[in-house]
Amino acid sequence: TMIAPDADLVIVKLPSDFYDTNVIQGLEYLKKKQQDLNRPMVVNMSLGGHYGPHDGTSLLEQAIKNLTSNGFVVVVSAGNEGYIPIHSQVIGLNSKVSVNLSSNTGDLIDGWYRCGKVKVEFCDSNNNCISASSGSKKSGTLGNCSIVIDNTKTSSPLNGDGEFIIGFDCTGNYTVNLYPENGSLNVDMYFADTYGNSKFINYTQKDIYGGYLGTVGIPATSPYVIAVGALTSKPLDDISLIDLGKIAYFSSRGPTR
């Protein structure tokens, strides 16, 4: 209120699970309130995640698109994962590619691809693997590790792209092998477990400040929101003076998928 002292606040409390359906209901409530008051409204949402296509076509982002209008603007935090390699991207996949990862918790990998079909394989450090061709779902164990690979969705109803999901409950170093079945594919993978602690080792990209690209969360990936990152506004020590005014090390980066 110090920035906009004449603004009035409408606060919507969501359940702790933050399911998209609950967020959409909250937005619909605010839209109706804005129409009833006949006043412009800016909605701030400091939330987001990495399960979804990262291209503006998730159900939540479609709802934001439909609700946005003159006088109703949605502002979303970009996210706080800019310092973590949670996104891996392979461009022009036309032969086997091995993406290495490590995890302290187990995690959920949400993979998206276009321009073909892909076979997905999850392997341990001894090259024991579980694989799923496009259109199939496989599960099994590697030692004490339980793995499920769902590669059945070759054309998502959201955007027509293919999606595969890898769930694993183990810790350590592992590899995801990608085999093109046809086409020359672009593949993006995201660690999507909210409570996971995992990172990709290769096929990641950084910006000139050392932050990892492609880490902006959903729904900040929507072209119908204002996505807000963070800047370094005060130094932690003499060394960090050089970072003043630059994007904060933790602030999630684009681009979208």
Side-chain angles (χ1 to χ4, degrees):
T1 56
M2 293 301 295
I3 295 175
D6 294 328
D8 295 317
L9 300 180
V10 180
I11 299 173
V12 176
K13 183 178 180 180
L14 296 176
S16 59
D17 51 43
F18 283 95
Y19 288 137
D20 284 358
T21 51
N22 294 326
V23 178
I24 292 171
Q25 287 179 346
L27 287 169
E28 290 173 341
Y29 168 81
L30 289 170
K31 178 70 173 183
K32 185 176 186 305
K33 180 68 68 173
Q34 181 261 331
Q35 292 173 332
D36 291 343
L37 295 172
N38 193 28
R39 294 179 58 185
M41 181 178 290
V42 177
V43 180
N44 174 68
M45 298 199 304
S46 296
L47 54 83
H50 292 281
Y51 184 79
H54 288 75
D55 63 357
T57 61
S58 70
L59 292 178
L60 173 55
E61 290 168 318
Q62 290 182 42
I64 292 172
K65 174 184 176 181
N66 294 332
L67 292 169
T68 298
S69 63
N70 291 334
F72 190 83
V73 178
V74 178
V75 178
V76 184
S77 57
N80 298 323
E81 293 83 34
Y83 67 104
I84 312 171
I86 61 168
H87 170 240
S88 181
Q89 183 181 62
V90 179
I91 301 294
L93 176 71
N94 51 29
S95 61
K96 175 187 174 182
V97 164
S98 297
V99 180
N100 301 317
L101 62 93
S102 67
S103 178
N104 294 325
T105 55
D107 219 305
L108 186 73
I109 298 173
D110 192 21
W112 291 82
Y113 60 92
R114 55 171 65 104
C115 303
K117 295 182 179 180
V118 64
K119 174 185 173 182
V120 181
E121 191 171 65
F122 189 89
C123 304
D124 64 16
S125 56
N126 295 317
N127 205 33
N128 300 308
C129 304
I130 293 174
S131 63
S133 300
S134 62
S136 70
K137 180 178 181 179
K138 294 294 178 64
S139 61
T141 58
L142 297 175
N144 295 323
C145 181
S146 297
I147 300 104
V148 177
I149 305 175
D150 187 346
N151 196 13
T152 57
K153 194 177 293 184
T154 57
S155 180
S156 169
L158 297 175
N159 55 14
D161 292 344
E163 179 189 15
F164 60 84
I165 299 169
I166 305 172
F168 62 99
D169 63 2
C170 40
T171 62
N173 298 318
Y174 296 90
T175 299
V176 175
N177 292 321
L178 303 172
Y179 300 87
E181 293 183 340
N182 59 55
S184 180
L185 298 88
N186 296 336
V187 182
D188 292 86
M189 294 188 291
Y190 304 86
F191 283 115
D193 190 331
T194 304
Y195 303 102
N197 183 6
S198 309
K199 61 183 180 179
F200 290 108
I201 307 300
N202 56 348
Y203 290 95
T204 61
Q205 292 180 298
K206 289 184 177 182
D207 64 14
I208 60 174
Y209 303 116
Y212 287 96
L213 300 180
T215 52
V216 61
I218 300 168
T221 49
S222 167
Y224 293 91
V225 306
I226 298 173
V228 179
L231 296 178
T232 301
S233 59
K234 60 176 63 176
L236 299 176
D237 50 42
D238 291 342
I239 297 176
S240 64
L241 277 170
I242 195 173
D243 295 326
L244 278 178
K246 298 177 181 177
I247 186 170
Y249 76 96
F250 60 83
S251 190
S252 291
R253 274 78 160 159
T256 60
R257 186 176 150 265

